[in-house]
Amino acid sequence: MSSEGVIEGWVSNVKILGKIAFIEVIDGLNLSPITVVVRKDSGSVDWSKVSAVKLGSAIRVKGVYPEKVVSKKGREIHADEIEILAEPRDLPPIDVTGKTPASFEDYINYRYLALRLPRVRAAFLARSLIVNEIRSFFSERGFLEVHTPKIVKAGAEGGATLFEVDYFGVKAYLAQSPQLYKQMLMCGVPRVFEIGPFFRAEKFSTTRHLNESWGLDVEMGFIKGMEDVLEVLSQLVVHLSHKLNERLGDALRGLGYNVIKPVTSVRVLTYDEALEVLNSLGFNLKWGEDFDPKAEKSLGDYLEEKGVQAYFIVDYPWESKPFYIMKKDEKRGYAFDLDIRGIEVASGGQREHRYEVLRQNLLEKGLNPEDFSFYLEAFKYGMPPHGGFGLGIDRLVMTFLGVQNIRETVLFPRDRFRLVP
Amino acid sequence: MSSEGVIEGWVSNVKILGKIAFIEVIDGLNLSPITVVVRKDSGSVDWSKVSAVKLGSAIRVKGVYPEKVVSKKGREIHADEIEILAEPRDLPPIDVTGKTPASFEDYINYRYLALRLPRVRAAFLARSLIVNEIRSFFSERGFLEVHTPKIVKAGAEGGATLFEVDYFGVKAYLAQSPQLYKQMLMCGVPRVFEIGPFFRAEKFSTTRHLNESWGLDVEMGFIKGMEDVLEVLSQLVVHLSHKLNERLGDALRGLGYNVIKPVTSVRVLTYDEALEVLNSLGFNLKWGEDFDPKAEKSLGDYLEEKGVQAYFIVDYPWESKPFYIMKKDEKRGYAFDLDIRGIEVASGGQREHRYEVLRQNLLEKGLNPEDFSFYLEAFKYGMPPHGGFGLGIDRLVMTFLGVQNIRETVLFPRDRFRLVP
């Protein structure tokens, strides 16, 4: 049965063959254009208007969805009425037909235009889907969604990678992470999560770092050990990889993305095991050393060949981890990273919840407990054992889509050299 | 039928009557304590441990939920095993039994402890619920969830209320709102929403302003007029007020909150009508003047008496609104505010989408189009008619719960004098 309808979107192609016009329009949040068919003879649409439709215009079409679709692109509407809502005044700086690729920089500079191209659009549909699924995952499991401050007096890691803010004449910083706040909350609610931006003033210029990112932070009280945290994060990765495949897998693959396969379980390696694998691959790493991106990548490739795309590395040397990580023994901490396809996506662990030990940890890291007094205070009044993780949403989307540059997953990325748009 | 179970939480009261102990524990995300009953004779729990349980401790209890509950508080578990996970080392600065109220300041300074008190806890459960419902509302309606930058080169309003950030030696600002970015996106996707923090360096010290807040931003392309935006926001208010009442209404009222009634529709008043009402109430406002909080409050009280708790004020004088608002006539703009119970919660309107007119608007407001070139660029390539709104989540929660101070709805509020915790 044919039925009436309205579509709204941008003209991505126009072909006029004699007395028929085929206007391709990218409408709604679709990943392929709909073909608007107009017949000169039908008399319902002003033909002079149709033949003058400009590429890139915003239009509204009223018409009929035919019973049988002729166009190869799969969706079609036969126009009864066409309304031009806005025309480009200049030639678009990106080819909106998608035939001529633009530069990587222009896809960022003109992101709003690039979003009409199915490949770019698909990445942000995937991101929106993932964020939405993260939220329902935690809401359904009884986690309280919280918002912690982004302007803070002390950094979580006390490092030098903080952006300074002048807060009414007082020196403040942009939050590197909700770490201290989500831990403090463990003294009053059992489980929290937050989705929000975080800021790191690192002078990196890589394909996997940005200076402003969005993260998921999770903290769980009353845990029996780090395993409780691994279990939740593992379930999350399984859930998200399945949802992405189910909802957008085919479309993304059709657009050239090397999408992650549905993860059935997240492999667990100890730091010692990972070290052994790396050294067997020709690295010459000593116990205690952190893995650099090159080592992470090699380990990722090695495991991907074995069909493992997502894995935990657990029991890191305590020395390489932050003060709030609980020690497992003299050398190791209850700390883990989640790596996906050779890239670190999340890190977490069990936290030190005992006031005196935590204070001692700060001193061992060369930090001044005085600077953390507002945080330490929360550990005095019945702080239960707890643990959690921080996960980079940009990186998660990046590894799930199999793209090489984190900038493909962020609408308006911020790096050392990019503050506009 | 009785059944076995485990509860985890914090001790909020202990009563020992002879050979029976009643330990009240605030567990999970519950809004009232569960009573843990321990019988000395049962032999299953070490009585010396029970009689030494400290107020405020974090504990885990294994036991049996009895068929018939004896305690007046409604929930009860008979302990087989009690594990003390953490004891307070100092006397908690807030009375965890809830009998002696603490100061308003202490409820903020020790928010993590206050979260054990049902009244405080309930406000943040309500906030979490509202945020979650906002998201599913927009996801279900085909809006793309986006994340726009928080470190920016230009403020949306070009005003002096921006926090400065040193961005690798370049002067940058914290975003006042996603306004410019969400509008730019209207050139490539039809509908977006964002939930994120925003920052205003205003030197206000009031019960309804904070310098860091969370907001909902919505923008819709291809609209036929401002009515399309009013319709969506109106549906949102109806939906949220119903969900809050359905899920937490009774509990919140029981805890003393003056919860908003389920809204069936949002009343629409023109600015002129509002002005007339206010002047009939004894104000002496001239056309063109903005309504100050006192006027807003009076209008709110007047309408609440008539059973109207949520209302739009539309067709504001253009002069009092930002440059991006489309003019309706020589004096008025397609701009609206959403007020709830006398407090402005959201504002929005139809935007000027025509490049030349928008540029002219900037000049009329005394702004330099050069400073907005990255934004204006997006209006050159087929920008459809669009509109949207920004809504303060803190204020929405505040008005829905009927609390007088916005600080009751934010875990760790930021004002001129508060940067810690």
Side-chain angles (χ1 to χ4, degrees), chain A residues 104 119 123 207-208 252 256-260 341 343 394-410:
Chain A
F104 190 80
R119 188 182 148 87
T207 54
R208 53 166 79 183
L252 288 164
Y257 287 103
N258 176 16
V259 183
I260 194 168
R341 307 172 115 183
I343 290 177
D394 307 346
R395 284 206 182 173
L396 184 78
V397 178
M398 182 188 173
T399 57
F400 269 30
L401 296 187
V403 298
Q404 298 309 310
N405 197 320
I406 197 166
R407 289 162 186 77
E408 291 190 50
T409 71
V410 176

Side-chain angles (χ1 to χ4, degrees), chain A residues 8-10 28-29 56-60 62 85-93 110-113 115-116 121 124-125 127-128 131-132 135-136 139 142-153 163-168 170-172 174 181 184-191 194-197 199-203 211-212 214 221-224 353 355-356 374 377-385 393 411-412 414-416 418-421, chain B residues 8-10 27-29 56-60 85-93 110-113 115-116 121 124-125 127-128 131-132 135-136 139 142-153 163-168 170-172 174 181 184-191 194-197 199-203 211-212 214 221-224 353 355-356 374 377-385 393 411-412 414-421:
Chain A
E8 294 162 338
W10 291 274
L29 288 179
S57 298
I59 70 173
R60 178 180 293 129
K62 281 189 192 163
L85 302 170
E87 287 185 333
R89 67 194 295 278
D90 292 349
L91 194 70
Y110 301 100
R111 184 69 91 198
Y112 40 87
L113 272 173
L115 282 169
R116 300 183 193 171
R121 175 174 278 228
F124 293 97
L125 288 188
R127 184 182 172 112
S128 179
V131 171
N132 199 43
R135 242 167 233 133
S136 44
S139 296
F143 284 73
L144 187 73
E145 182 166 3
V146 297
H147 298 143
T148 64
K150 303 308 157 208
I151 305 180
V152 297
K153 185 77 187 141
F163 284 113
E164 248 184 72
V165 183
D166 172 13
Y167 194 76
F168 300 113
V170 176
K171 198 196 270 189
L174 290 183
Y181 289 96
M184 288 156 70
L185 290 172
M186 290 299 101
C187 190
V189 279
R191 296 172 149 215
E194 174 167 9
I195 293 174
F199 309 90
R200 294 185 176 252
E202 285 158 343
K203 288 192 176 170
N211 297 104
E212 177 179 331
W214 279 70
F222 300 96
I223 60 170
K224 288 180 182 157
H353 64 285
Y355 179 83
E356 281 81 8
F374 72 96
E377 185 71 15
F379 289 77
K380 290 183 181 169
Y381 309 110
M383 176 64 91
I393 290 176
L411 285 171
F412 301 101
R414 289 290 176 262
D415 61 33
R416 259 170 90 192
R418 185 177 277 284
L419 181 57
V420 178
Chain B
E8 294 161 340
W10 291 275
D27 62 324
L29 288 180
S57 298
I59 71 172
R60 178 180 292 130
L85 301 170
E87 286 185 333
R89 68 196 294 279
D90 291 350
L91 194 69
Y110 302 99
R111 184 68 92 195
Y112 41 85
L113 271 172
L115 282 169
R116 300 183 193 171
R121 173 174 279 229
F124 293 97
L125 288 188
R127 183 182 172 111
S128 180
V131 172
N132 199 42
R135 242 168 236 132
S136 44
S139 296
F143 284 74
L144 186 73
E145 182 165 2
V146 297
H147 298 142
T148 64
K150 302 309 158 208
I151 306 180
V152 296
K153 185 78 188 139
F163 284 112
E164 246 184 72
V165 183
D166 172 12
Y167 194 75
F168 300 114
V170 175
K171 197 197 268 189
L174 291 183
Y181 289 95
M184 288 156 71
L185 290 171
M186 289 300 101
C187 190
V189 279
R191 296 171 150 217
E194 175 167 7
I195 294 174
F199 309 91
R200 295 185 174 252
E202 286 158 341
K203 289 192 175 171
N211 297 103
E212 177 181 330
W214 280 69
F222 301 95
I223 59 170
K224 289 182 183 154
H353 64 285
Y355 179 84
E356 282 80 8
F374 72 96
E377 185 69 15
F379 290 75
K380 290 183 182 168
Y381 310 110
M383 176 65 91
I393 291 176
L411 285 171
F412 302 102
R414 289 290 176 263
D415 61 34
R416 259 171 88 192
F417 309 106
R418 185 175 279 281
L419 182 56
V420 177

Side-chain angles (χ1 to χ4, degrees), chain A residues 2-64:
Chain A
S2 59
S3 64
E4 290 188 12
V6 177
I7 64 120
E8 294 162 338
W10 291 274
V11 176
S12 61
N13 218 347
V14 183
K15 250 186 268 175
I16 300 184
L17 299 173
K19 293 180 174 179
I20 308 186
F22 298 93
I23 304 173
E24 287 183 12
V25 175
I26 188 88
D27 62 322
L29 288 179
N30 289 300
L31 290 177
S32 61
I34 183 165
T35 304
V36 178
V37 182
V38 199
R39 283 170 217 278
K40 190 176 177 182
D41 299 340
S42 75
S44 57
V45 185
D46 180 352
W47 186 254
S48 66
K49 228 164 113 187
V50 172
S51 51
V53 164
K54 283 189 195 170
L55 264 186
S57 298
I59 70 173
R60 178 180 293 129
V61 178
K62 281 189 192 163
V64 177

